[in-house]
Amino acid sequence: MAFLDNSGDIILDAVLTDTGRFRLAKGDGTFRIVKFALGDDEIDYGTYSRNATTELKGMTVLRTPVMEAFANNAGSMKYKLLSLTENTHLYLPVIKSYANGNSAKFGSGTAAKYVVAVDKSTVDEIVGTTQLLTTGVLNGYQPGQSDHLIIMDQGLDTGNISQAEPLDSQLRETQYSINMDNRLGAPVQPTGTGSPSSATVSFIDDDNIATYILSIGTDKNYISELPTTIDSSLGLTSISGPVGTRLAFRIQASTSLRTNNYLFTVLGNTGATSIGNMSSYRYIDSTISVTGQTTGYRVDVPVRYVKKI
Amino acid sequence: MASIYKTLSSNDITTVRDLLHEAIPLTASIVSGTYGDNNIKVYENDLFESVFDYPYLSSSANHIFDLTAGVSNNSPLSGAAVAASLDPTPKINIYNEMAQILAGFDENGSVREFDRDGDLSGGEQLREVFVVNFARLLTKDEIKKQSFTLQVLTGGTVTSPDSLMTISDYKALTQYKINSPAGEYGILYTGSAATAGTGVGLIYYQAGVAILTASLFDGDAPNYIGPNGANSSVAADNFETSIDLFSSGSISGSADAFRNRLYNISFNNTIEINSTIYFCRANNNEFNYSSNPTYLSASQIVVKNDPQENPLAYVTSVGLYSADNELLAVSKLSHPLEKNPTDELVLRVRLDY
């Protein structure tokens, strides 16, 4: 009689993340583990040999060396495994930046980014005599004074399925998280001309990364259903196939960026490439991470905060 | 509904306690040899001296234990006549401090003396003692019972001792005492056949303190003991008995004398590790897809050709989350593990405190 194969039962030692230690030290009961997720950050599925013989298909992937755990909560578990009830899915949705019209980026190619003008003098300098904010520049001083915004579309980005087909309801994102440096700015409503209110922060971790959880039920201003009649060929969405939801927001620059140059000195640099009429400025490059809470798909949006010198 | 998190139920979480032990050897070469006295720190108050494992002025030095000496108020050595050449008060104060912490107080509020057999109702007391206070760096949570051994050189002179005496907490695993306010302690004997009442000291396991009677060195004469060790002549600086030493020397002098007779100390420490184990169960229909950007090419899954093929994904990490989806702990697998609908996994993730 052979021995039982118990190789499916594995013991792993966990390390606390910096946020875990932070919450443990606070002693206010916020350190409570209630759920888990599985991640595959190191895996490059491009090395999977789909057409090889069965035993060789995943050989390269299985040989991928795995890094030790690191304690930065924002740097671990970026890509998570997903549970779906059917095994017959051949396509999964993505989240894509819709960089067109009012949501176009500044610059082109891989250098394209959103630029946030942090104070009034910066906005005035960029606008100059044109009275128009340059494409890709967001008014971080008074977001309500500009219709420039960031838009992320979700859906199956493939030409193999008609856009008229509805997206499987279990693949439709109804909740997004936005992670961004709290010292630099905060997301605000994409509509309204007055002083649009900021999103409610869910928590700020020890590295000043703020997390905003937005749900379609409670944050209708931010998340909307994309109509199935939307036509990507007309440039109305960045998704080529069946569409899900759209996340939109503007950015309010932080008081710190508006009122002093400390963070620009510590984290940033100076630039001379013209932005509108402005040719001399301080800047900080950062990213805003948008993650679908249903499918776990995550995309990083490059953002440059600028301030006139 | 698609999901990337799975809630842990009460059946998925358990706590365990493990005891880890490390062997701690302390040789005479560290205590009085290799570094001269550069690893011995003597304080201005002269109430104790500290032993380091390296010259203490170096940042690499670790404090390993303190040495001091004390006499009871009831000891003949506390009397003015005997101690005329030296004020006995510091040794009495040290004895009382150690005794009130380790032996406690009697029903009248008086400090108990260290009891030779641990039976507080009678028997002899240890009234002139050497005290070895081990650093927590070595003892950790406690000294493991029946693992403590201390060897001292006895007889002859400091430079030419006659014999080696081994002192240990024999049978302590089953015969330790619990009537101390500082936790459990064992009796130190000079041999495994030693009987009750013949102990030469006490070892307090949780406190990490060894109490040794000064009479250890009062057996076969001559049994010289002195603060200057091999560097001094017998007649000039060393004393014939520990009584002479205690009544004539300072605390640091007594501690130095003990160091010069110390041959070896060894024990096992104990580290108590409390762990929570999370059973992360991935059922056959869970975690078979990935949100990794390389998993898709134009939204199509790259690991399958047609919809009827089973999906698969590879696990390299397990993240433990709070209710608000904040990553609190993370663990890594040694290599990627395939997950597909024909497999179920139980990943036991242990978080130590």
Side-chain angles (χ1 to χ4, degrees):
Chain A
M1 188 177 291
F3 292 109
L4 286 171
D5 176 11
N6 63 354
S7 58
D9 191 355
I10 297 165
I11 303 175
L12 306 167
D13 284 324
V15 296
L16 290 171
T17 61
D18 46 7
T19 296
R21 290 199 301 271
F22 177 65
R23 289 193 176 193
L24 204 54
K26 279 168 74 179
D28 59 357
T30 55
F31 182 87
R32 185 160 173 266
I33 291 168
V34 300
K35 60 178 93 169
F36 75 94
L38 304 181
D40 62 355
D41 291 2
E42 291 91 346
I43 301 298
D44 177 1
Y45 286 94
T47 62
Y48 184 83
S49 304
R50 190 168 54 182
N51 297 318
T53 55
T54 305
E55 66 275 15
L56 294 178
K57 281 183 176 179
M59 189 63 74
T60 307
V61 177
L62 288 170
R63 286 178 178 162
T64 304
V66 178
M67 295 169 70
E68 282 187 318
F70 43 95
N72 185 350
N73 62 307
S76 296
M77 297 291 296
K78 286 197 289 191
Y79 308 115
K80 301 178 183 69
L81 268 54
L82 172 67
S83 298
L84 295 170
T85 49
E86 290 95 29
N87 298 323
T88 53
H89 291 280
L90 190 58
Y91 295 90
L92 290 179
V94 297
I95 298 169
K96 247 180 122 175
S97 176
Y98 174 59
N100 205 355
N102 292 341
S103 60
K105 291 178 181 172
F106 178 82
S108 60
T110 54
K113 60 180 79 67
Y114 291 101
V115 173
V116 180
V118 303
D119 62 0
K120 184 175 188 306
S121 62
T122 304
V123 172
D124 291 344
E125 181 78 2
I126 291 172
V127 167
T129 56
T130 65
Q131 299 303 307
L132 289 172
L133 259 185
T134 307
T135 299
V137 177
L138 280 62
N139 187 334
Y141 170 61
Q142 289 178 318
Q145 299 302 310
S146 167
D147 57 1
H148 290 187
L149 73 173
I150 296 173
I151 294 177
M152 311 302 294
D153 284 352
Q154 186 250 343
L156 303 184
D157 190 32
T158 174
N160 294 338
I161 307 174
S162 165
Q163 204 160 35
E165 290 289 329
L167 182 67
D168 186 329
S169 61
Q170 69 169 329
L171 298 179
R172 186 178 298 272
E173 286 293 353
T174 56
Q175 192 176 60
Y176 292 88
S177 73
I178 298 175
N179 297 79
M180 60 191 293
D181 196 318
N182 189 56
R183 296 169 297 178
L184 307 181
V188 297
Q189 289 182 7
T191 56
T193 55
S195 300
S197 58
S198 296
T200 305
V201 66
S202 296
F203 52 84
I204 301 169
D205 76 6
D206 58 304
D207 301 313
N208 284 309
I209 302 299
T211 298
Y212 302 84
I213 305 285
L214 303 170
S215 300
I216 196 166
T218 53
D219 301 290
K220 287 184 167 48
N221 289 326
Y222 293 90
I223 304 172
S224 57
E225 298 277 1
L226 280 168
T228 52
T229 54
I230 197 166
D231 191 343
S232 62
S233 66
L234 298 177
L236 299 177
T237 177
S238 56
I239 300 296
S240 302
V243 294
T245 53
R246 168 172 282 183
L247 171 71
F249 57 95
R250 289 179 283 190
I251 295 174
Q252 169 79 63
S254 69
T255 305
S256 176
L257 289 191
R258 291 203 308 271
T259 57
N260 64 69
N261 295 327
Y262 173 73
L263 289 172
F264 283 101
T265 306
V266 174
L267 306 173
N269 210 330
T270 56
T273 304
S274 293
I275 302 173
N277 293 306
M278 183 173 72
S279 58
S280 180
Y281 52 87
R282 294 183 176 87
Y283 70 86
I284 298 172
D285 283 337
S286 182
T287 57
I288 296 175
S289 296
V290 174
T291 307
Q293 293 297 290
T294 305
T295 64
Y297 198 87
R298 164 181 164 146
V299 63
D300 292 336
V301 183
V303 174
R304 171 171 286 187
Y305 295 86
V306 297
K307 187 175 188 180
K308 178 195 162 196
I309 292 179
Chain B
M1 183 66 180
S3 63
I4 49 178
Y5 300 107
K6 184 171 181 182
T7 302
L8 293 158
S9 73
S10 57
N11 291 329
D12 297 326
I13 304 173
T14 187
T15 56
V16 295
R17 192 183 73 123
D18 290 315
L19 298 178
L20 297 184
H21 304 291
E22 297 171 314
I24 305 295
L26 298 171
T27 60
S29 61
I30 293 177
V31 176
S32 58
T34 303
Y35 305 113
D37 280 351
N38 291 329
N39 64 325
I40 311 300
K41 189 171 185 179
V42 180
Y43 301 90
E44 198 174 334
N45 60 23
D46 199 33
L47 293 175
F48 66 95
E49 65 182 27
S50 297
V51 180
F52 291 76
D53 65 353
Y54 200 66
Y56 64 82
L57 290 176
S58 166
S59 59
S60 303
N62 294 301
H63 176 211
I64 52 178
F65 63 84
D66 294 321
L67 281 173
T68 185
V71 295
S72 163
N73 263 326
N74 298 323
S75 164
L77 295 184
S78 67
V82 176
S85 61
L86 192 74
D87 181 8
T89 307
K91 288 195 179 85
I92 293 171
N93 290 346
I94 283 290
Y95 187 97
N96 286 340
E97 179 187 349
M98 300 309 298
Q100 76 176 38
I101 292 171
L102 300 172
F105 298 87
D106 63 17
E107 60 274 17
N108 299 318
S110 304
V111 175
R112 286 188 193 277
E113 295 175 302
F114 291 112
D115 199 281
R116 185 182 290 273
D117 61 3
D119 179 358
L120 304 182
S121 62
E124 282 186 52
Q125 279 72 43
L126 306 174
R127 287 177 171 152
E128 302 86 23
V129 295
F130 293 108
V131 182
V132 187
N133 297 54
F134 294 99
R136 214 185 97 74
L137 176 71
L138 300 188
T139 62
K140 299 292 175 62
D141 292 333
E142 63 179 275
I143 295 170
K144 185 183 178 188
K145 296 179 187 69
Q146 208 169 304
S147 73
F148 184 84
T149 300
L150 182 146
Q151 292 178 303
V152 289
L153 297 162
T154 60
T157 64
V158 174
T159 51
S160 303
D162 286 342
S163 58
L164 181 66
M165 181 190 291
T166 298
I167 300 163
S168 185
D169 56 341
Y170 298 107
K171 301 177 183 174
L173 213 52
T174 54
Q175 296 180 7
Y176 63 90
K177 304 291 181 183
I178 56 170
N179 54 1
S180 158
E184 298 154 350
Y185 67 100
I187 313 293
L188 295 172
Y189 296 104
T190 54
S192 59
T195 53
T198 61
V200 295
L202 308 169
I203 175 72
Y204 290 85
Y205 297 111
Q206 284 88 25
V209 178
I211 304 293
L212 293 159
T213 175
S215 63
L216 274 177
F217 303 100
D218 292 347
D220 304 328
N223 193 356
Y224 288 98
I225 184 168
N228 296 316
N231 297 325
S232 66
S233 65
V234 170
D237 292 307
N238 292 328
F239 303 97
E240 222 172 317
T241 68
S242 60
I243 298 299
D244 294 340
L245 172 71
F246 268 44
S247 59
S248 306
S250 62
I251 288 181
S252 59
S254 300
D256 285 342
F258 180 77
R259 271 196 305 114
N260 292 325
R261 282 292 192 169
L262 190 57
Y263 183 73
N264 188 43
I265 301 175
S266 68
F267 59 85
N268 290 352
N269 68 19
T270 301
I271 306 162
E272 186 177 316
I273 296 179
N274 291 289
S275 307
T276 304
I277 296 178
Y278 299 90
F279 291 86
C280 300
R281 305 177 205 274
N283 293 331
N284 63 81
N285 59 343
E286 294 170 336
F287 301 109
N288 295 320
Y289 296 90
S290 172
S291 62
N292 189 316
T294 66
Y295 194 67
L296 303 176
S297 174
S299 273
Q300 184 175 346
I301 297 170
V302 298
V303 298
K304 58 191 286 191
N305 279 321
D306 78 70
Q308 299 312 313
E309 275 186 69
N310 275 333
L312 61 88
Y314 293 91
V315 187
T316 64
S317 327
V318 183
L320 302 176
Y321 288 84
S322 63
D324 54 1
N325 297 344
E326 185 73 337
L327 182 63
L328 301 179
V330 65
S331 63
K332 305 289 283 193
L333 277 72
S334 59
H335 59 84
L337 197 63
E338 183 179 325
K339 177 70 185 74
N340 63 54
T342 66
D343 272 338
E344 295 198 345
L345 296 177
V346 179
L347 301 167
R348 285 197 287 173
V349 180
R350 189 172 67 184
L351 193 55
D352 296 335
Y353 296 95

